[in-house]
Amino acid sequence: MKLPNYVEARKRTKDKVEIEHYSNDIKDLGIGKTYHIKTYGCQMNEHDSENIKAMLEELGFTYNDDYQTSDLVLLNTCSIRENAHNKAFGMLGRLKHLKEENHNLIVGLCGCMAQEEGVINEILTKYKWINFVFGTHNLYRLPYILKEALDKNEREIEVFSREGNIVEGIPVKRDSKYKAYVNIIYGCDKFCTYCIVPFTRGKQRSRLKEDIVREVEELVKDGYKEVTLLGQNVNAYGKDLSLGYGMEELLEEVSKTGIPRIRFVTSHPWDFTDGMIDVIAKYKNIMPAIHLPVQSGSSRILKLMGRRYTKEEYLTLFHKIKERIPNASISTDIIVGFPSETEEDFKETLDLVNECKFDNAFTFIYSPRENTAAARLKDEVTLAEKEERLHELNDLVNIYFKENNDKLVGTTVPVLVEGVSEKKGILFGYTDTNKLINFEGDSSVIGKIIDVKVTSAKTWSLDGEIDER
Ligand code: 5AD
Ligand code: SF4
């Protein structure tokens, strides 16, 4: 048993990160058995689940869409806010009942929550029936951890507190045939005071440019149309490698692979260089859609959050991007109710939204996370106040989503067609600026990038018709 430890998780060492290659000599463990995986949280977790699926299938497991009839159920968890925690624990409650009926059911937990000392203590005392647990740093060891748990018929918990090497070559079973996630940097060293990620995902570690480019070249060969380069803070890419290249150079090289669409998430305003803006403006296959979390419009709160920029600095960057890439859509993340946030601070957030008129915004109520610096701050903002602020903020951001969408009506936009919408029974896809669009058409265009004329706009989506010209 290896358990996580917060003091260790916080440490940032100068230890050199080596590159290892995935290997697995365990086979047949899952023959005749089915698995189901529930994924919570961000794209990084979704992509980890694509690796987990492939590893399980290599062992012989087959996918089952229904967790209630699966032989193995794995929860890939998220720690970012309290409600993500609650969802996973709620699911564990349901699995406990299933396990009472079916003692052979194998239950596993992995992802960010597995890295939390508090969660593991709870599992040790209250969830003794869980078969296996592994963390974010040792995902590639899944076959061995699972074998250990099954062979010994006892619970196996293996969570490393500190990140290890980068492991290349982990198999992957991608959810889409057209869009792919590609990791470029793991971990985060920013330590924003509210954020648990630097603890659960470890120190910043970039993959080598050659490995990333090779993966994208393979995707091009396999007919993929879009890659999303993933990292907690992609702009810090390369800084830990001291090889003289960074995000700017990486974007340029990925662009030259000829993949039709490149996206990247998430950018921290702090490392967003002029060079990056130039590269995005220059290469047509780098999509003009930038996710640039601001978190708050009050410089006082930004300082308490440890964000390293003021409201004015954010606005300068924002306008610089808009000037050099006029069609860019900019989206953001905003937290309301950070400890000590006053009505005046919140008003500054509303003012910033009125100035930036974001194309999209993910808005959250601050949620204290175990062991983070902000969790120690006095928080006298009441939940009712926080909810009211969130409500007011959502009403405002929605106005601008609609306003930005309205501007597209009558124009023709490039759309990567993803499939038939379950709800509407018609085609859907995403524009270059990352807007969802629904339109009638033949299923032969699925997986292609086609021109669609926008006929009307809603708050969260567009409607259109194929432009045959
Ligand atoms: N409480 C609320 N929101 C948070 N986020 C990160 N940590 C917290 C927290 N403790 C939000 C930030 C980040 C997004 C991924 O989640 O806005 O950009
Ligand atoms: Fe969390 Fe800040 Fe790192 Fe983003 S940049 S993952 S908010 S610590």
Side-chain angles (χ1 to χ4, degrees), residues 274-330:
D274 286 1
M276 266 178 69
I277 304 177
D278 291 341
V279 170
I280 301 164
K282 179 171 168 194
Y283 292 95
K284 291 297 147 252
N285 57 350
I286 305 179
M287 293 299 97
I290 295 163
H291 189 59
L292 197 65
V294 62
Q295 313 298 1
S296 168
S298 151
S299 295
R300 186 184 76 81
I301 294 291
L302 287 170
K303 190 154 191 227
L304 285 176
M305 287 176 162
R307 288 293 286 180
R308 310 172 192 213
Y309 55 83
T310 60
K311 164 178 143 181
E312 289 74 22
E313 283 163 340
Y314 181 90
L315 288 172
T316 303
L317 173 64
F318 180 94
H319 290 302
K320 205 183 325 176
I321 296 173
K322 282 276 184 188
E323 223 165 80
R324 296 212 208 151
I325 315 168
N327 65 332
S329 72
I330 301 186

Side-chain angles (χ1 to χ4, degrees), residues 80-81 194-195 293 295 333 335 364-367 369:
I80 201 91
R81 281 171 295 274
Y194 51 81
C195 186
Q295 313 298 1
D333 292 342
I335 298 175
F364 312 104
I365 289 181
Y366 166 72
S367 170
R369 308 317 294 136

Side-chain angles (χ1 to χ4, degrees), residues 83-151:
N83 56 358
H85 255 226
N86 294 346
K87 274 190 213 155
F89 276 118
M91 187 63 200
L92 281 179
R94 264 165 271 152
L95 290 173
K96 186 173 184 227
H97 290 301
L98 268 187
K99 184 122 180 160
E100 278 160 6
E101 286 161 24
N102 169 14
H103 294 291
N104 294 326
L105 174 68
I106 311 163
V107 177
L109 184 138
C110 65
C112 289
M113 278 170 66
Q115 295 295 141
E116 288 185 64
E117 242 179 81
V119 169
I120 292 296
N121 287 339
E122 225 169 305
I123 287 176
L124 285 171
T125 51
K126 294 196 212 137
Y127 296 84
K128 294 188 174 157
W129 49 271
I130 293 181
N131 298 82
F132 69 106
V133 179
F134 61 96
T136 58
H137 303 317
N138 58 343
L139 175 132
Y140 62 96
R141 288 198 24 88
L142 167 60
Y144 296 89
I145 296 166
L146 187 57
K147 185 169 185 340
E148 189 84 4
L150 297 183
D151 282 356

